[in-house]
Amino acid sequence: RGIGTPGVDATHPGFSQISITGYRTLGVSNTPNSDDSHNIQLSADLSKSSGAHTLKTGVQAYRLGVDFLSSQRSSGIFSFNGQYTGEPFADFLLGYASSASLSTWARLNFRTLYVHGFVQDVWRVSRRLTLNLGLRYEFSPPPVDTNDAIANFDLDTDPASPRIVLPGDEGDGRASRSLQGVNHRQFAPRVGFAYALPGDRTVLRGGAGIFYGNLITVGGMSSLEINPPHHLRISQTTDRTVPSIFLSRGFAEGALTPAAARDANLVSWDRSSKPSTAYQWNLNVQRELPGRVVIEAGYNANRLVHDWRSIDANPVLPGPGRVNRRAGDQTAGKGRAGRSWGEASAGCSPAMA
């Protein structure tokens, strides 16, 4: 059982985590924690040779699943950095915390089905030239939660008025249940060649193609199960000169109820359907030297767009006072927002202030 920190569930197995700068951490956090991933894969290929052509086609299907159960910060976390007395342990003895956080348990049960197919032609144009031509199609829809226990803090539909969106709020389709866009246009052409120069001692090889990244979820507590009403996580901050978080007082009554929560952390995922995309190309020259020695020189290039990244969607402005109260956008009124999305030039993962 817990040790009776106000606002913390007394049935929690352990006591609040106490983090004192320069000292060993006491207590527990994110214990117990259980996660599991599983996949079922089916594939089939068919090839046929006809004259100068070798044709191949195939399909792959992947049923992917992620199950996650975590106590997160349900035991409470208190940090002491010495900002009041100049000595972290003295702040602890006084009970003046620099920050504190608390959460409910988090549960995630994601499922999705990927279906990918391809066609390929290896064409021996002549004795010296061979072409490799291919086209791949990938349907990789975002996952849905089997219990619809996710939510997205929507910053895209109306940036001036962000809101929590739940599965099914906007219909029964895949995009509505997953709270992310579904891309039906993931075509990936690939081409390659090999050409032997006269004399058959020098060969040029090259190729180019498009490749897509597939992502079910991300770590770091930045997935859609973190949002209310299914889960709630608060992160409290203080003024550096006037204490406002006291260990003896713990957390306010009802701190983890959606109606009363303040300083909540929210997560926003980009609702567009832009997958991480890599454009790759290469050119190589191979030369056979006397003594059956082969040397090779090559150029390889890669351009990545719509890469996934995570940033603070509501950064804190400089100035006095509590950190969370200095967040640039107080529209949500609950806390800081982090944002995850797939723009190479500006990605992010929201937390609310």
Side-chain angles (χ1 to χ4, degrees):
R1 296 176 62 85
I3 60 172
T5 303
V8 175
D9 185 355
T11 64
H12 191 279
F15 60 94
S16 299
Q17 179 174 298
I18 306 297
S19 177
I20 308 172
T21 301
Y23 296 84
R24 185 181 296 275
T25 298
L26 305 174
V28 296
S29 176
N30 201 28
T31 302
N33 179 62
S34 172
D35 62 87
D36 179 49
S37 62
H38 46 87
N39 70 81
I40 299 174
Q41 178 179 344
L42 296 175
S43 63
D45 299 323
L46 178 65
S47 61
K48 179 182 179 180
S49 296
S50 177
H53 296 271
T54 298
L55 303 175
K56 187 175 182 180
T57 185
V59 63
Q60 299 95 31
Y62 310 86
R63 184 184 184 275
L64 306 177
V66 173
D67 296 302
F68 174 75
L69 176 64
S70 172
S71 60
Q72 299 281 299
R73 305 172 185 177
S74 56
S75 60
I77 300 176
F78 295 88
S79 298
F80 302 86
N81 63 6
Q83 66 185 25
Y84 299 113
T85 65
E87 168 52 51
F89 196 76
D91 279 12
F92 166 67
L93 294 177
L94 292 171
Y96 295 167
S98 56
S99 65
S101 60
L102 182 68
S103 78
T104 57
W105 284 57
R107 179 188 296 271
L108 180 69
N109 302 102
F110 265 172
R111 301 290 186 272
T112 191
L113 176 65
Y114 291 173
V115 179
H116 301 168
F118 72 93
V119 292
Q120 181 184 33
D121 180 13
V122 179
W123 179 18
R124 295 170 182 82
V125 181
S126 68
R127 187 179 70 85
R128 298 188 182 281
L129 176 63
T130 299
L131 298 180
N132 192 324
L133 308 174
L135 178 64
R136 185 177 180 87
Y137 175 75
E138 299 183 356
F139 180 59
S140 306
V144 298
D145 188 86
T146 56
N147 301 305
D148 287 334
I150 57 175
N152 197 352
F153 184 51
D154 185 6
L155 297 174
D156 299 309
T157 304
D158 184 1
S161 183
R163 65 189 182 97
I164 293 288
V165 181
L166 302 178
D169 279 356
E170 300 171 338
D172 299 323
R174 183 74 179 205
S176 178
R177 282 200 65 196
S178 66
L179 305 177
Q180 302 174 62
V182 179
N183 192 309
H184 297 274
R185 302 181 302 277
Q186 289 187 202
F187 292 94
R190 286 113 189 246
V191 60
F193 76 91
Y195 180 72
L197 296 179
D200 296 332
R201 300 177 68 87
T202 303
V203 178
L204 301 179
R205 303 180 189 273
I210 298 176
F211 301 83
Y212 296 107
N214 298 307
L215 178 69
I216 296 182
T217 186
V218 297
M221 298 182 290
S222 297
S223 297
L224 297 179
E225 82 278 5
I226 293 300
N227 287 324
H230 309 289
H231 176 83
L232 193 56
R233 183 178 69 202
I234 61 173
S235 296
Q236 300 176 343
T237 58
T238 65
D239 188 297
R240 293 188 61 85
T241 57
V242 181
S244 59
I245 301 176
F246 305 98
L247 181 59
S248 60
R249 300 179 187 176
F251 300 92
E253 183 178 355
L256 292 179
T257 58
R262 303 292 301 177
D263 302 309
N265 294 124
L266 301 182
V267 172
S268 175
W269 278 52
D270 178 19
R271 302 196 68 190
S272 71
S273 58
K274 300 175 182 178
S276 296
T277 306
Y279 300 89
Q280 300 180 5
W281 61 97
N282 64 80
L283 180 64
N284 297 275
V285 180
Q286 291 180 329
R287 174 71 177 180
E288 182 182 356
L289 301 178
R292 305 185 68 176
V293 175
V294 176
I295 62 171
E296 179 177 356
Y299 170 80
N300 295 274
N302 180 77
R303 178 173 179 262
L304 182 64
V305 298
H306 308 310
D307 187 21
W308 282 95
R309 59 183 64 186
S310 179
I311 67 169
D312 188 344
N314 196 10
V316 174
L317 302 176
R322 293 182 56 190
V323 171
N324 284 348
R325 295 297 172 260
R326 289 188 276 115
D329 184 359
Q330 296 287 334
T331 302
K334 293 291 186 182
R336 299 278 302 291
R339 179 164 172 79
S340 294
W341 65 336
E343 281 296 338
S345 58
C348 66
S349 163
M352 284 178 64

